[in-house]
Amino acid sequence: MQVRSCFMITFTCSVFKKKKKKSILFWEMCCDLKRRFLLLYATQKGQAKAIAEEIWQQAGAHGLEADIHCISEMDKYNLETEKDPVVIVISTTGTGDPPDTARKFVKRIQDTTLPPDYFAHLQYGLLGLGDSEYMFFCNGGKTVDRRLQELGAQHFYDTGLADDCVGLELVVDPWIDGLWLALKEAFVLQKEKEGMNGVVDADSSSHSAAPHIVHELNLSSEVQNLKLEDEGVKSSDILSQKLIDINLVASARDSEPSLIHSVPPVSQSALNIPALPAEYIEVQFQDTHGENPHLSSLISEGTAFEVPVTKAVQLTREDAIKTTLLLELDIADTVFDYQPGDAFCVICPNNVDEVEELLQILGLSEKAESFICLKVKQGTKKKGASYPQHIPERSTLKFILTWCLEIRAIPKKAFLRALVEYTSDAGEKRRLQELCSRQGASDYTRFIRDSNVCLLDLLHAFPSCKPSINLLIEHLPKLQARSYSASSSNLYQPGKLWFVFNVVEFPACPARPVSRKGVCTGWLAELVAPLLHCNKNTLDTKGGSSSTEKISIFARPNNTFHLPADPSVPLMMVGPGTGISPFIGFLQHRQKLREEHTDWEFGETWLFFGCRHQDRDYLFKDELRCFLENGTLTHLKVCFSRDSSTAEVTQPKYVQDVIRLYAKDVTRVLLQERGYFYICGDKKHMADGVNDAVVDILSMEMETDKLEAMKTLVMLREAKRYLQDVWS
């Protein structure tokens, strides 16, 4: 039964009463029912969905009701007729693309026949998620935001752009905090426009004349110490604790914070913690036996192929800082096809020892091989609760923990909040509350996010925490396949696929006292260890060893990072370290074309390569020399950042420095000969520097300012002649 709220109106003589208070008063008077807003999310890996669900959970405490849908479910909402405010949470994937779930939506709104007032009735707020390590930061959200504006939609709340490079929560938390007042004011304006009669202040007409309320939020990537002040927040949302008799009280010698220990002011603060996520999965163990599903059933992006590893070569010396491996796969008996520049994905498992350790801590070792049945809990309060698509309907617990869940994932704050309820020790409970609270934001960033702490680390640090298996299934994300660039040409060596990678190392740190290798690269290195001895330091394409080891892969074509269709077009390639990987495929392909088409004209090819030491990690040194000798590679420019030089003139250390030495050639290739420029490798420490160097070169050679040079570079990108394949 809906009970109407009662209100007492008081009068004041103050002429300085804030309009915000007036809006809230009007809101309270006209809202005897919960007001609805439409909440859409577009997610690639689940982050946008999790944030949207957090908004949905908080809405009720503010007297609001969120109608939440994935943006792909266009049969469940209609923006063309939507009258209520719309909130959109959208991530970015690939090289600035909207997530797969938003592709149809973006295609629809980008219809050029739509009139400029198509969404004139729409008021919305948008939260974009991205990573500033990549060039097109938050471009998925920016694309939707820009197009909605072009079609006449109005902001009722400023757009927020959250950066996963420094922590999404630094923008997400304050953006959500400010959302509730913005929504309430939007409803006030909506009521006024509808001509609703009510007790409104004499200057309320100024509200209706305003197109939207501007909220000045500092949505930068800085730690913000915000206090929740909305009147609609229930007192139960604010956790107030006095520091009494808990084992996290700072002693004289414990003056530094850590993962398990806090210091003032955090240790003495009342905490604002997230709402407890509703549990929605029920797990039942079964006595039946059988086989686990094939790995191909775990992907939805295409066809998976199980292929043997026929060669493994360590490309670096034992004393190199990083270990670089090349693997050769036999794809001859499959229909797997690729072009040089394409990427493909490897389906990889979690570390077997970590899975066993997790089972032991959870007390489930004896049930590891038991098949389990999952179903959605009856009566769950989770909106739109559904069976997790990445979990097979029939599989063992060990299979799920090994192949389906990312047990190395950095726990989100919602997960920490849920773990609190499974922790018995008062001190440990308090510390977990601090780490997921607003007051503990910097501790979360320092001791969890930046330290790459995972669930296993938390369970060791907080031994009284014993979560249920259903909680892990609810909060651990899908174990993602890992993407690698093809390092070969199917034309040059048919039926073979090469790829190159560094074995990722995570050294121990105070918050995580054990060192680890990357999930996929560590698994691959261990898998091919027997082959490394057989093939060490030889890349003979006709060689190979018989191997029983197989891995599952599926294609992930790159639509742009390919050789020019016209072989006479010149190209420049920048690929230090393992960034050289796709360019080996480019050069193999170009060499084969030269052999088969002696009458064709081929443009010049440049390669800028760099590494630390010439004698330790100069990848493909012999192969590059051969490409030079046979004319496939026209210019090879190399640099070594850690080698000492005896030359009188200081030698350039990095590829961006080498590029500056060939400014006239860069300008000639790009502007006069309409050539292509490719960059592959680390974004933050290399690609950004190369971009800056090219802008400086264009500015100098064109005799113009940097702004014009940057515009030229943008035009080259839009023409798909300045291409990047970078990672953070």
Side-chain angles (χ1 to χ4, degrees), residues 560-605:
T560 58
F561 203 82
H562 291 150
L563 283 164
D566 181 356
S568 66
V569 173
L571 55 103
M572 288 184 157
M573 302 168 285
V574 183
T578 56
I580 196 176
S581 179
F583 302 135
I584 295 298
F586 277 21
L587 293 169
Q588 287 182 353
H589 199 78
R590 181 59 64 90
Q591 178 176 322
K592 193 64 177 178
L593 288 177
R594 286 167 56 89
E595 294 171 357
E596 293 180 347
H597 304 279
T598 56
D599 57 331
W600 284 11
E601 179 184 351
F602 291 90
E604 62 180 319
T605 53

Side-chain angles (χ1 to χ4, degrees), residues 36-41 51-53 55-56 66-70 85-89 179:
R36 169 194 175 274
F37 66 95
L38 179 61
L39 176 57
L40 302 176
Y41 63 86
I51 291 168
E53 288 175 344
I55 294 172
W56 173 81
D67 185 11
I68 184 172
H69 300 288
C70 177
V86 180
V87 175
I88 302 171
V89 184
L179 174 64

Side-chain angles (χ1 to χ4, degrees), residues 309-316 323-329 487-488 493 497-503 528 531-532 535 538-540 581 584 588 619-620 623:
V309 181
T310 53
K311 183 185 288 289
V313 180
Q314 182 170 324
L315 301 179
T316 50
T323 300
T324 305
L325 303 182
L326 176 144
L327 302 192
E328 178 185 85
L329 307 179
S487 306
S488 54
Q493 43 180 343
L497 172 62
W498 284 6
F499 68 106
V500 174
F501 59 90
N502 288 328
V503 180
V528 303
L531 278 177
L532 282 175
N535 300 305
T538 174
L539 284 177
D540 180 8
S581 179
I584 295 298
Q588 287 182 353
L619 309 183
F620 297 102
E623 288 69 33

Side-chain angles (χ1 to χ4, degrees), residues 40-44 48-49 69-71 88-92 99 101-102:
L40 302 176
Y41 63 86
T43 190
Q44 188 72 21
K49 181 181 180 182
H69 300 288
C70 177
I71 207 167
I88 302 171
V89 184
I90 178 171
S91 61
T92 297
T101 53

Side-chain angles (χ1 to χ4, degrees), residues 257-441:
S258 67
L259 176 63
I260 61 174
H261 171 71
S262 62
V263 298
V266 174
S267 62
Q268 297 176 348
S269 298
L271 303 176
N272 302 108
I273 64 174
L276 179 64
E279 295 189 7
Y280 67 97
I281 292 293
E282 187 175 312
V283 178
Q284 294 179 342
F285 287 90
Q286 300 178 327
D287 294 330
T288 56
H289 301 280
E291 293 185 357
N292 281 304
H294 194 272
L295 296 182
S296 59
S297 66
L298 300 181
I299 67 164
S300 58
E301 299 90 339
T303 304
F305 301 93
E306 190 177 36
V307 295
V309 181
T310 53
K311 183 185 288 289
V313 180
Q314 182 170 324
L315 301 179
T316 50
R317 245 173 43 178
E318 293 295 337
D319 56 351
I321 293 177
K322 294 183 178 181
T323 300
T324 305
L325 303 182
L326 176 144
L327 302 192
E328 178 185 85
L329 307 179
D330 184 354
I331 59 172
D333 295 332
T334 73
V335 294
F336 184 93
D337 193 21
Y338 71 97
Q339 295 184 53
D342 278 345
F344 67 97
C345 290
V346 175
I347 302 175
C348 61
N350 288 306
N351 181 276
V352 62
D353 293 332
E354 293 173 26
V355 172
E356 295 287 354
E357 190 176 0
L358 183 57
L359 286 167
Q360 184 177 3
I361 291 175
L362 297 176
L364 294 171
S365 297
E366 294 182 358
K367 294 186 176 181
E369 300 299 338
S370 298
F371 280 79
I372 64 173
C373 174
L374 303 183
K375 60 182 180 180
V376 177
K377 282 185 176 180
Q378 287 188 347
T380 179
K381 295 181 180 180
K382 181 178 173 63
K383 174 77 171 179
S386 61
Y387 188 97
Q389 296 301 308
H390 56 284
I391 306 293
E393 291 186 3
R394 178 174 169 75
S395 58
T396 62
L397 174 59
K398 187 174 182 179
F399 182 88
I400 291 174
L401 291 177
T402 303
W403 293 99
C404 304
L405 299 177
E406 188 95 52
I407 65 174
R408 285 270 196 93
I410 296 173
K412 304 293 183 187
K413 289 187 177 181
F415 193 12
L416 296 182
R417 176 65 185 89
L419 290 175
V420 169
E421 303 305 306
Y422 289 86
T423 304
S424 57
D425 180 83
E428 294 177 9
K429 202 180 192 83
R430 164 73 190 196
R431 184 53 176 155
L432 286 172
Q433 289 167 338
E434 291 171 349
L435 289 169
C436 70
S437 71
R438 183 137 321 109
Q439 290 74 15

